[in-house]
Amino acid sequence: MSGLLDRLDGFGRDGLTWLAGSVWRQIGAVLVLALFVFVPGQASLPVTDRDEGRYVQASKQMMETGDYIDIRFQDGPRWKKPVGIYWLQIGAAHTLGEAAASEIWVYRVPSLLGALGAVLLTIWGLRPILGPPAAALAALMLGSSILLIGEAHIAKTDAALLLTIVAAQAALARMWLKQVSRFDLAHWVFWVALAAGILIKGPIILIVTGLTMVWLCVADRSLDVLRQSRPAIGLPLLLALAAPWFVAIGVQTDWAFYIESIGNDLLGKVGSGAEAHWGPPGYYLATIWFSFWPWAPLLILALPWLWSQRHSDAMRFLTAWTVPYWVVFAVTATKLPHYILPVLPALAGMLARWMTEGPLGELRNRWARRGAVVLFMLGALGFSGIALAAGLIVEGRTMPVTMAMGAACLGLCVLAAISLLRQRIFAFGVTALVVMALLTPALLTRTLPALKTLFISPRMVEAHAAWEACAPQPLITVGYHEPSLVFLAGTETELIWPEEAIARLQSDPEARIFFETPRRGTLESITEAVGQPLTVLEAIYGLNYNGGEPAGIHLLPRSDGKLATDCARN
């Protein structure tokens, strides 16, 4: 075992030295990594609820209506975020797909490219303060972190936003180090990235970059970093790029957009746990071990050395990037694991600097190593366990290939854990990268797409289509109102309430309606309320993962209607 670990450790060190010799090698390594962790699952993973379903449906409706200013979900406003991500998804749909008829993977392309761009820009951004080896290592860590991999597969704002944040922070690092003087490329990148970030997710990028600048100004007792940014030129540029849409949406909605997006969405998340997304103090300290898995456990080992380096330029900048943003979101009432995504490049940079410059041969604190191993293996058991056992737990069936991939991942994780215990940090790094290259396809191309129980909307659309040829009508549903259903079935999908459904069945013998029966009463009580015999055309059973509750959905027409008497399932 020692010989294997020594060879892996040497391979990791030599490989990093080889990568550091050429930026093109580093870019190539990131692209190869992306083929394993960002691309698999883009097309096979069904559209998810609820955020992704809302985003892609709003983008789809923009293309259907030709209104690229206002943001709508069916007939209602969707004024929680600015328009940037919708424009990106629309661009992808027109370029790579069939406009409004595009499949879900097309809408996910901006997230995939955002994640890939953020990783590549991490190389550019951290080179001035960490040097080529650590910058390359930090990029590989970021690209293989479970949180960024997940965001790369969901068509919403966060991966695209991270691209703009890393771009702005990379340019800011050069300004702070006084590597630029006149208004040059770094300034263009900085202000354009700020404008793009604002258009994608409002003030979040300003919180990251603004707090970084404030921290540096206070720590340096100087306003040099602010002056270096050239705000007299940059602010007009930012306004010229971002302001037109904000003015247009204000005028078009009679300024109601700002009441919803700022008053209800942004400020509402500060004061209370929006949509039940509340977390206790220490929430991010508890979740970082999984959101930044497999790398976060190394923080336990690296922290003493990183603290000793706190006065170095690298640690001062990375601390300014991380700490104030973390504190702000730690005290904000609404908490979700992905809110910490903007600081992962900085955490990766800290770990990379420790691995390339720290005293790795002096990790004599056994309890720290054991703690890191425990946290690492908790994540290993959780993520590999999904591939190993999800089929049995969720659907009561085995998936041999997926289970074999999950078992292989778990075995490699044990090897990585032994590497940590024996202070072979680069052996751990090599093994962890292999784990992620195997685990991502296992989860996103085989395990999750095969769990039909979790993805109810595609089954409802399939069941609805089976009767369309005989009796065309929009899909109508009671109880189950997930956004993915609207995206898959069409904007004309009707999400109605029980009273309206009963009135429809009473007045229209040809109506057919999906009822989520466990929450909305038994079939007998629905029949009694309608006052007419009903027929069960389709029965769909699954698990609504948003609420964590079983869902039983029945497609019901009247027994005296055409569907029950004359139609046959296609």
Side-chain angles (χ1 to χ4, degrees), residues 18 61 125 166 182 215 217 344 348 548:
W18 179 79
Q61 284 184 220
V166 177
R182 57 187 178 81
W215 182 284
C217 286
L344 292 194

Side-chain angles (χ1 to χ4, degrees), residues 2-3 19 28 32-33 116 120 155 179 199 207 224 267 320 387 400 402 422 465 482-483 520 533 535:
S2 294
L19 283 179
V32 170
L33 177 68
L116 178 60
L120 290 172
Q179 293 189 354
L199 281 170
I207 295 174
D224 276 355
L267 297 181
T402 301
R422 299 193 180 180
E482 297 300 337
R520 303 296 173 180
T535 296

Side-chain angles (χ1 to χ4, degrees), residues 187-394:
H187 293 93
W188 280 100
V189 169
F190 182 74
W191 291 104
V192 171
L194 289 182
I198 292 169
L199 281 170
I200 289 172
K201 205 169 182 176
I204 300 301
I205 190 171
L206 298 180
I207 295 174
V208 179
T209 302
L211 289 177
T212 302
M213 295 178 78
V214 170
W215 182 284
L216 293 173
C217 286
V218 172
D220 295 344
R221 298 178 184 177
S222 169
L223 297 178
D224 276 355
V225 68
L226 179 60
R227 287 191 287 265
Q228 285 287 328
S229 69
R230 302 292 188 268
I233 302 174
L235 281 174
L237 174 62
L238 184 153
L239 291 173
L241 293 172
W245 178 82
F246 283 98
V247 173
I249 190 66
V251 172
Q252 185 163 330
T253 64
D254 199 21
W255 308 105
F257 171 84
Y258 294 97
I259 297 173
E260 175 64 24
S261 63
I262 298 176
N264 296 335
D265 185 56
L266 179 62
L267 297 181
K269 288 179 178 179
V270 173
S272 61
E275 299 180 3
H277 297 314
W278 175 85
Y283 175 90
Y284 294 114
L285 285 176
T287 59
I288 190 67
W289 314 108
F290 303 99
S291 57
F292 192 34
W293 192 84
W295 308 107
L298 295 180
L299 290 168
I300 294 177
L301 304 177
L303 190 59
W305 185 82
L306 293 175
W307 176 256
S308 72
Q309 299 293 307
R310 62 190 181 276
H311 298 301
S312 66
D313 284 347
M315 283 304 299
R316 288 167 63 205
F317 185 82
L318 295 176
T319 301
W321 185 340
T322 305
V323 173
Y325 178 88
W326 189 296
V327 170
V328 166
F329 277 80
V331 300
T332 299
T334 301
K335 292 181 174 66
L336 285 168
H338 69 268
Y339 285 0
I340 215 68
L341 181 64
V343 303
L344 292 194
L347 293 178
M350 293 179 186
L351 289 176
R353 186 165 191 264
W354 168 70
M355 288 182 66
T356 54
E357 298 184 30
L360 301 185
E362 301 177 11
L363 301 176
R364 297 190 176 92
N365 190 326
R366 291 185 178 180
W367 290 107
R369 297 204 305 273
R370 290 171 181 172
V373 166
V374 167
L375 289 170
F376 173 76
M377 287 306 299
L378 284 175
L381 291 170
F383 297 120
S384 300
I386 294 174
L388 271 169
L392 282 172
I393 294 172
V394 176

